[in-house]
């Protein structure tokens, strides 16, 4: 058996791709560990907390209550109970449990945030989270319960609850009480010290974790949409003239240029294209073919914006208050514990709302190509609904109906959550971000897009079959062969459910996105 891949956690250098790798990893394949420098920062931060508490100075959330109760002074003998009560009361989410990969991403991001050394907690909290990830121990986190303002309080509290040996968790596909799982793996519950409960639950890590996974899936889907779009252009005898570099240079948006270059590369060398180059009376194609670079370019810009936001957020300290140990010899107005608002998820929520809008527009154009492929009035000689015996058979008629339903769902999901503030905590949290709602929407929207792309691949591959014996380009033929490795050509009516789900899995895998990227023409 190969040795586990070692991944240091330092609070500064986590990549989005590493988040996904950890989220998907099987137990025993990774070894996550706290970086030495990060451990040093955490110890300095913890020493600051211990010293301040010992001085008798009032410190929010350590010697006082929380939120609206910040004026209540907590007696020394009750300060540990304060942290435990915080976790128990806030672990009150509802709804279906988040998927395993989402839980793992949340745990990783919380550990990484604490590793920055501004949270005032002991290293053992991070080490325990990383150990649980290595062993495949995953607290059950309900999907609802955060407004993304004082952080993702309920989801993160369910993670923190597991450190106390309470709540439910999943290990090896089985859900059990966390105290039983801790006993099985030889670990004892952790007793929290001052600030540690607050450090564990203040932060944007649930919103950010779901957002990272949604973004990476959306990037794969967009690259797949260029391959499915190229296949549709071919099946519909479209022209790549609209993708010429001169056109893109006249309106030099970077994403548009990348998309056009990839489409040119995907179609290069096609016999189908050459078959109608001369004598075709059409001057230009419909927008759903001609304007792919413009629409996909806009989506690239939106996803690029979201990527930039998330790359910063995964390596940020987002709890409150934050600890800034004063260096030896410094004096003056420096304060070591500062209350602020880094837990407010507005910037992440807005980015994920934009992501949902962008993928909805990609899906809308994809639906129009599916319609053209099955509509005999628009498909330039392809049989109605791509059926072998139209009339007797319905062919791929319902594929477009399914797409229409998915697209309607995506248009609802494109409504922004980040503008919908509902004040909480007796008016203390009087403007909230609704970040987790934005993240849930983004993940669902991308899942819908994957199924819409599956329908386009199904229809475009069938359209290519009807253009035989002509061959398309090497790249399109590679996509076609990959589709056919999962789904047979339509020889008569059959249920399309298994076909569409198999191709949606293919889209999600990134295999077709890899063909797009490998074709060249930009990155």
């Amino acid at each position: 058996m190969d040795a586990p891949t070692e991944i240091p956690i330092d609070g500064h250098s986590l990549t989005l791709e590493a988040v996904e790798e950890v989220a998907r990893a099987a137990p025993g394949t990774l070894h996550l560990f706290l970086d030495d420098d990060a451990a040093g920062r955490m110890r300095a931060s913890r020493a600051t907390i211990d010293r301040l508490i010992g001085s008798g100075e009032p410190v929010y959330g350590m010697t006082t209550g929380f939120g609206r109760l910040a004026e209540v002074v907590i007696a020394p003998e009750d300060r540990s109970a304060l942290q435990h009560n915080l976790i128990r009361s806030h672990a009150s989410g509802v709804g279906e449990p988040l998927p395993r990969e989402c839980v793992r991403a949340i745990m990783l991001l919380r550990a990484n945030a604490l590793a920055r050394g501004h949270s005032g907690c002991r290293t053992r909290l991070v080490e325990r989270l990383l150990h649980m990830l290595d062993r495949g121990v995953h607290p059950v986190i309900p999907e609802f319960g955060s407004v993304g303002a004082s952080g993702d309080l309920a989801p993160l509290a369910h993670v923190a609850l597991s450190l106390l040996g309470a709540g439910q968790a999943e290990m090896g596909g089985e859900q059990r009480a966390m105290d039983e799982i801790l006993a099985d793996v030889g670990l004892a519950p952790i007793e929290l010290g001052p600030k540690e409960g607050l450090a564990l639950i203040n932060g944007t890590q649930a919103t950010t974790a779901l957002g990272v996974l949604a973004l990476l899936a959306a990037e794969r889907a967009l690259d797949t949409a260029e391959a499915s779009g190229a296949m549709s252009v071919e099946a519909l005898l479209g022209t790549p003239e609209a993708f010429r570099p001169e056109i893109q240079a006249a309106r030099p948006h970077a994403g548009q240029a990348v998309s056009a270059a990839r489409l040119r590369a995907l179609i290069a060398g096609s016999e189908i294209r050459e078959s109608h180059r001369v004598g075709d009376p059409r001057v230009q194609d419909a927008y759903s073919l001609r304007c792919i670079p413009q629409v996909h370019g806009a989506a690239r810009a939106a996803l690029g914006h979201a990527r930039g936001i998330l790359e910063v957020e995964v390596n940020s300290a987002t709890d409150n208050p934050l600890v800034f140990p004063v260096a030896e010899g410094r004096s003056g107005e420096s304060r070591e514990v500062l209350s602020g608002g880094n837990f407010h998820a507005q910037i992440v929520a807005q980015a994920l709302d934009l992501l949902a809008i962008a993928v909805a527009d990609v899906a809308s154009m994809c639906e129009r190509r599916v319609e053209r492929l099955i509509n005999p009035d628009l498909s330039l000689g392809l049989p109605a609904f791509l059926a072998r015996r139209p009339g007797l058979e319905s062919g791929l008629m319902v594929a477009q109906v399914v797409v229409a339903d998915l697209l309607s769902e995506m248009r609802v999901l494109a409504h922004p959550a980040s503008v919908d503030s509902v004040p909480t905590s007796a008016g203390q949290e009087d403007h909230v971000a609704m970040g987790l709602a934005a993240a849930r929407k983004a993940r669902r929207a991308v899942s819908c897009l994957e199924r819409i792309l599956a329908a386009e691949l199904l229809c475009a591959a069938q359209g290519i079959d009807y253009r035989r014996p002509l061959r398309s380009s090497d790249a399109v033929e590679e996509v076609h062969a990959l589709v056919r490795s999962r789904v047979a050509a339509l020889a008569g009516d059959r249920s399309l459910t298994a076909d569409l789900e198999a191709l949606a899995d293919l889209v999600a895998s990134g295999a077709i996105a890899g063909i797009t990227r490998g074709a060249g023409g930009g990155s």
Side-chain angles (χ1 to χ4, degrees):
M1 182 177 178
D2 293 338
T5 301
E6 298 206 340
I7 300 179
I9 300 303
D10 61 11
H12 292 276
S13 58
L14 192 63
T15 66
L16 305 190
E17 287 72 21
V19 173
E20 186 177 63
E21 179 186 3
V22 172
R24 293 179 167 185
T29 60
L30 299 178
H31 173 51
L32 299 157
F33 62 94
L34 181 62
D35 173 80
D36 287 342
D37 289 342
R41 293 192 301 271
M42 291 186 69
R43 292 187 187 102
S45 173
R46 185 65 203 171
T48 298
I49 293 297
D50 291 340
R51 179 171 51 78
L52 287 173
I53 290 175
S55 72
E57 179 180 341
V59 187
Y60 173 77
M62 291 169 257
T63 64
T64 76
F66 305 106
R68 179 68 173 78
L69 303 175
E71 305 304 319
V72 178
V73 176
I74 306 301
E77 64 271 18
D78 292 331
R79 288 171 185 168
S80 178
L82 173 70
Q83 303 298 317
H84 286 246
N85 288 341
L86 178 70
I87 300 306
R88 295 188 188 102
S89 65
H90 283 60
S92 300
V94 298
E96 293 297 314
L98 288 173
R100 176 181 181 272
E101 68 171 15
C102 294
V103 173
R104 290 182 62 82
I106 291 169
M107 296 168 67
L108 174 66
L109 292 186
R110 193 68 216 137
N112 194 58
L114 297 177
R116 280 191 67 94
H118 292 302
S119 301
C121 62
R122 292 168 294 168
T123 58
R124 75 176 300 198
L125 269 65
V126 171
E127 290 163 349
R128 174 61 59 85
L129 287 170
L130 300 181
H131 186 69
M132 287 168 61
L133 284 167
D134 285 348
R135 295 294 298 269
V137 178
H138 312 116
V140 173
I141 305 177
E143 64 177 331
F144 294 102
S146 172
V147 296
S150 284
D152 293 316
L153 295 174
L156 293 176
H158 283 278
V159 174
L161 195 65
S162 70
L163 303 188
L164 308 183
Q168 295 287 305
E170 175 268 323
M171 184 178 183
E174 182 183 359
Q175 182 175 319
R176 291 187 290 153
M178 186 63 192
D179 58 348
E180 296 178 9
I181 293 177
L182 283 180
D184 286 351
V185 299
L187 296 173
I190 291 176
E191 183 169 336
L192 301 177
K195 176 69 165 70
E196 291 186 328
L198 195 58
L200 284 165
I201 71 171
N202 255 187
T204 65
Q205 283 67 46
T207 294
T208 304
L210 271 63
V212 168
L213 299 177
L215 172 70
L216 295 175
E219 290 177 342
R220 288 188 288 270
L222 181 56
D223 287 339
T224 300
E226 273 161 9
S228 65
M231 183 180 284
S232 292
V233 169
E234 286 283 86
L236 292 166
L237 304 181
T239 173
E241 288 298 299
F243 311 148
R244 290 175 63 96
E246 303 96 306
I247 295 173
Q248 321 317 316
R251 191 196 193 197
H253 291 294
Q256 176 180 326
V258 167
S259 178
R262 285 183 165 179
L263 287 161
R264 292 195 304 272
L266 285 164
I267 295 174
S270 165
E271 291 179 359
I272 296 175
R273 164 58 183 150
E274 293 305 316
S275 72
H276 60 91
R277 182 184 291 274
V278 177
D280 190 334
R282 293 173 298 153
V283 176
Q284 55 193 19
D285 290 323
Y287 286 7
S288 60
L289 305 181
R290 192 192 339 159
C291 298
I292 294 175
Q294 287 74 20
V295 173
H296 287 194
R300 286 194 182 283
L303 299 189
H305 172 71
R307 173 174 275 272
I309 297 298
L310 292 169
E311 285 174 339
V312 172
E313 195 71 9
V314 299
N315 291 299
S316 294
T318 56
D319 52 297
N320 179 63
L322 293 174
V323 183
F324 300 91
V326 174
E328 186 175 350
R330 282 177 57 192
S331 60
E333 295 300 316
S334 298
R335 294 187 60 190
E336 295 179 285
V337 177
L338 296 173
S339 290
N342 279 1
F343 47 59
H344 202 295
Q346 194 71 25
I347 193 168
V348 181
Q350 286 182 355
L352 297 180
D353 279 339
L354 179 59
L355 186 156
I357 290 168
V359 297
D361 204 30
V362 172
S364 179
M365 179 172 264
C366 182
E367 183 276 330
R368 287 293 81 200
R369 292 194 297 267
V370 170
E371 161 67 8
R372 299 188 80 82
L373 285 162
I374 66 172
N375 187 336
D377 296 329
L378 303 172
S379 63
L380 295 172
L382 296 177
F385 306 111
L386 298 169
R388 293 290 178 181
R389 302 172 68 186
L392 177 63
E393 298 171 357
S394 295
L396 300 180
M397 177 191 297
V398 178
Q400 190 262 339
V401 176
V402 171
V403 167
D405 188 14
L406 288 163
L407 182 56
S408 180
E409 178 86 356
M410 291 183 74
R411 287 170 172 159
V412 172
L413 295 170
H415 175 81
S418 59
V419 299
D420 188 20
S421 177
V422 178
T424 59
S425 192
Q428 177 76 7
E429 299 161 5
D430 58 353
H431 182 278
V432 302
M434 294 300 178
L436 191 57
R440 287 193 304 265
K441 292 193 310 91
R443 269 180 61 82
R444 185 167 175 82
V446 176
S447 177
C448 290
L449 175 58
E450 289 168 346
R451 287 175 167 82
I452 290 174
L453 288 167
E456 181 175 17
L457 289 165
L458 183 68
C459 294
Q462 193 72 22
I464 293 286
D465 290 340
Y466 281 115
R467 302 301 183 190
R468 299 302 191 206
L470 295 174
R471 288 181 57 80
S472 183
S473 64
D474 289 345
V476 168
E477 291 293 341
E478 187 179 358
V479 175
H480 183 276
L482 196 53
V483 170
R484 285 287 168 257
S485 72
R486 304 291 181 96
V487 173
L490 196 66
D493 278 349
R494 65 176 185 242
S495 170
L496 302 178
T497 298
D499 296 343
L500 291 170
E501 294 292 3
L503 292 179
D505 289 344
L506 179 62
V507 172
S509 76
I512 295 176
I515 294 173
T516 298
R517 295 164 187 167
S523 61

